[in-house]
Amino acid sequence: MAAEKLRLCLTILAVAWATLCIALMLAAGEGLRQGLIRSSESGNGKLMYLTGSYATKDFGNFHTGKQLKLKYDDLKVIQALPSVKHVQPSAQWNERVTFEDHRTWQNPVGVYPEYQTLTGLKIAAGGRWFNSMDMKEQRNVIVIGESAAISLFNQSDDFDWINPPALDIDPVGKKVKVGSKEFMVIGLIKSSSANVEQGIPLNESLFVPFSTWQRFHPNSAISALNIEPVPQVDRKQVAATVKQVIARKYGASVEDQQLVQIQDMLLRQKTMRRFLIGLQSFLGIIGLVTLGVAGIGIANVMYAAVKRATRDIGLRMAVGASPATIKAHYLTQSLFTMAIGGLLGLGMTVGLISSIQAFPLTGNSLYEELGKPTPELSFSIIGLVILALGLVGVAAAWFPANRAASITPLEALQSE
């Protein structure tokens, strides 16, 4: 190895660079995957979202084109199913929220206090979520997302999608209007990349007590039902059962696939996860190709070392060294080279990832929307990188080692 210092140093640098590439690409893919999982699992990411639609078949109480409007008592029918753990209704209030001359992008939604537990949303310090007294007394109170609060209470209308503005004031205690009705803000939802209610960003959402919505909308249809199935059940079968139950309750055809719409957010996540695993594998293959190029460099160094040491190999074999011993010598040399380059590359990767994680990205809309993804160098990734280094090291030295082991003592001693 000392006789091939220059080639060996260049090869080690190539291995270090290849290790940096494969480890960083896998870490970037893992960070993106974990970020999107965090984003999709919060909010209604684990729920089934049930809404009524339009009939496509003439049957019973329905004719083609008639809309199914959900009622509050549908909740009890679905909750009675053994495969359903929780059900929560939600109802859109078709009025925008205003403060002075500012207004929100989204309409408020009437929900129960249990909606917070079901979706996992968190309230910022100084505020609160709805309680039983709010429901009992049908209070005019409202909880708003951070982006909705910025739209209502910030004086400036300027908005930057890359670096959105911060909230200027604490909105808790302020009074806003839902249509012409005055409501008091009692809570601010912590910033989150989650979505609720058919893809509405949680930061843009506004919530009022369901009983308050009922007071202003007596006997009105609700918007949707959020369903949490029992763990480990067949979610597709649950969705089919729920559709049949609702169709029978309203006297519609159970074969009408359009009348009752169910979006299973968890199954959509699984599709996204498969895509992200494929993306991560693709990035890993690119890094592995780079590592393979470095392996070719190691093979060249090994061939040069075998050629230079031909007489030495002959002498060793003449005094009793076996072909396996000669082969192990060059395999060990290759693996030792890969180990030095690999350690150097992993050290560079750790330093680079630490620098990226320390970079101030909080507040960036795209970063928040993707679930705050940062490269993650997990133990599984390190294990994969070490395995790849070992395989490439063995493959790079295999043919030179076989060449060295196949030399006869007579052939070696007669070489120039």
Side-chain angles (χ1 to χ4, degrees), residues 209-360:
F210 190 85
S211 59
T212 305
W213 175 86
Q214 284 182 314
R215 176 159 60 92
F216 291 103
H217 303 84
N219 301 319
S220 294
I222 62 175
S223 303
L225 292 169
N226 291 280
I227 304 170
E228 181 184 6
V230 172
Q232 309 304 322
V233 298
D234 185 340
R235 298 176 69 96
K236 291 184 178 180
Q237 183 60 47
V238 173
T241 302
V242 169
K243 283 186 175 183
Q244 292 177 5
V245 167
I246 294 296
R248 289 195 179 103
K249 179 178 182 294
Y250 285 93
S253 171
V254 296
E255 297 179 357
D256 191 340
Q257 298 299 315
Q258 299 298 318
L259 184 64
V260 182
Q261 297 289 323
I262 295 183
Q263 296 185 45
D264 193 327
M265 304 303 177
L266 186 61
L267 294 183
R268 291 173 60 182
Q269 287 179 42
K270 291 181 178 179
T271 302
M272 175 65 72
R273 291 181 189 184
R274 285 194 290 267
F275 167 76
L276 291 173
I277 289 173
L279 175 63
Q280 192 174 10
S281 301
F282 175 72
L283 293 174
I285 290 171
I286 294 175
L288 189 59
V289 169
T290 308
L291 190 60
V293 174
I296 295 174
I298 290 180
N300 288 332
V301 172
M302 293 295 102
Y303 271 117
V306 169
K307 185 176 181 181
R308 181 186 293 272
T310 301
R311 289 180 62 84
D312 295 334
I313 293 171
L315 286 171
R316 293 179 63 192
M317 296 183 74
V319 296
S322 66
T325 303
I326 301 299
K327 188 181 295 185
H329 171 83
Y330 288 101
L331 286 173
T332 302
Q333 183 175 329
S334 175
L335 291 174
F336 185 66
T337 303
M338 294 296 288
I340 296 174
L343 286 173
L344 182 59
L346 285 174
M348 294 166 59
T349 305
V350 171
L352 186 57
I353 289 177
S354 298
S355 300
I356 294 174
Q357 290 176 343
F359 196 77

Side-chain angles (χ1 to χ4, degrees), residues 124-145:
R128 66 176 180 86
W129 182 248
F130 310 126
N131 57 34
S132 57
M133 292 303 296
D134 295 324
M135 292 290 295
K136 182 178 180 180
E137 298 180 4
Q138 302 179 335
R139 292 173 178 171
N140 286 16
V141 291
I142 188 169
V143 175
I144 62 178

Side-chain angles (χ1 to χ4, degrees), residues 75 118 337:
L75 180 145
L118 200 63
T337 303

